[in-house]
Amino acid sequence: MEPSVEANGRIARISAHLFPPNLQMVDGSALRRADCRAKGGAPGFKVAILGAAGGIGQPLAMLMKMNPLVSVLHLYDVVNAPGVTADISHMDTGAVVRGFLGQPQLESALAGIDLVIIPAGVPRKPGMTRDDLFNINAGIVRTLCEGIAKACPKAIVNLISNPVNSTVPIAAEVFKKAGTYDPKRLLGVTMLDVVRANTFIAEVLGLDPREVDVPVVGGHAGVTILPLLSQVKPPCSFSKEETEYLTNRIQNGGTEVVEAKAGAGSATLSMAYAAVKFADACLRGLRGDAGVVECAFVASEVTELPFFATKVRLGRNGADEIYQLGPLNEYERIGLEKAKRELAASIQKGVSFIKK
Ligand SMILES: NC(=O)C1=CN([C@@H]2O[C@H](COP(=O)(O)OP(=O)(O)OC[C@H]3O[C@@H](n4cnc5c(N)ncnc54)[C@H](O)[C@@H]3O)[C@@H](O)[C@H]2O)C=CC1
Ligand SMILES: O=C([O-])CC(=O)C(=O)O
């Protein structure tokens, strides 16, 4: 296995008496990192971020380094992984950080990992749909998932790369081909839709967003993003105008950010926040916490489609329970039919990419 590119700076100006004499001193005033006593053995989970140097990857890496459930954090990218690793590794939190650069180091980055988070791939520019990213991102996701199948086939995978409605089926097909597929462990991250929905609904209702909880089901693109406003907690009702405004804003939240960034990418900071919220829920589930429930795009029998986003209970094996949609109103039933039509095509496109 290739070695990691762990930031290998020296610890300078430390009095020699702080260290036992058998530690190798460099230039009489510095100590090699490898000779330090800390071995990074704190209890916790091992997490890898693939695409860690990107717009989402960097703030995501920072927030995961702050998560007390993480003991080891592997940062992999095809560019700038050493720089991001050196930077993040100076934070005085518990997780040990290691960087991995480029394809030859992918398997080392993944060895022994419990949770893999994938924000690798290109983002949208104004005028593009998420599906316009398919041609580039499909290949990236395939390569990364081949690495996962080899190096950490039991890991939980949180897939962020767009178009999620197609990349999750791609990942599933790669794992099936490798004989490692466990549908419970593959989760498409739709948390940002929930985060946005909670925020926009709270604004309309004059509530604190932290008090609001709304299921967002279907998928992660345009009309496939279906907020179930009839199931908002705390229970409340919306006028027709409010329902249309909220549904439209939640479905187009990503485009709102893409247009505001005017060519400089898509949501990164709110996405990193959402990704950490979701990853933390997965880790609490892995730890055995009861009642951890979030929305995710998973293999499902809730509709006739093979994948669908609904609330899932996160447990020791990933998505341990998948919840039904619950009662829908007329507006939501019409939205569901539209969502399913588009989703079916996106899922098929992902499956065909691997099967062709
Ligand atoms: N699921 C969701 O809710 C959301 C998904 N996204 C998606 O996340 C993806 C990443 O977005 P950003 O971070 O803004 O893009 P970015 O371009 O800033 O960063 C992407 C990173 O991926 C890396 N990368 C490219 N090919 C790679 C490979 N083969 N292996 C490892 N790393 C590789 C790049 O070097 C770069 O550092 C995009 O596809 C975007 O559409 C963005 C926001 C929300
Ligand atoms: O809109 C995009 O391209 C990025 C994304 O998925 C989102 O912000 O929801």
Side-chain angles (χ1 to χ4, degrees), residues 11 16 40 133 206 223 243 267 313 324:
I11 299 170
L133 305 172
V223 296
T243 301
R313 185 173 56 74
Q324 296 298 314

Side-chain angles (χ1 to χ4, degrees), residues 188 190 216-220 295-298 300 307-311 325 343:
T190 58
V216 182
V217 302
H220 180 67
C295 289
F297 185 65
V298 292
S300 162
F307 297 91
F308 202 81
T310 46
K311 284 197 165 184
L325 289 174
L343 255 180

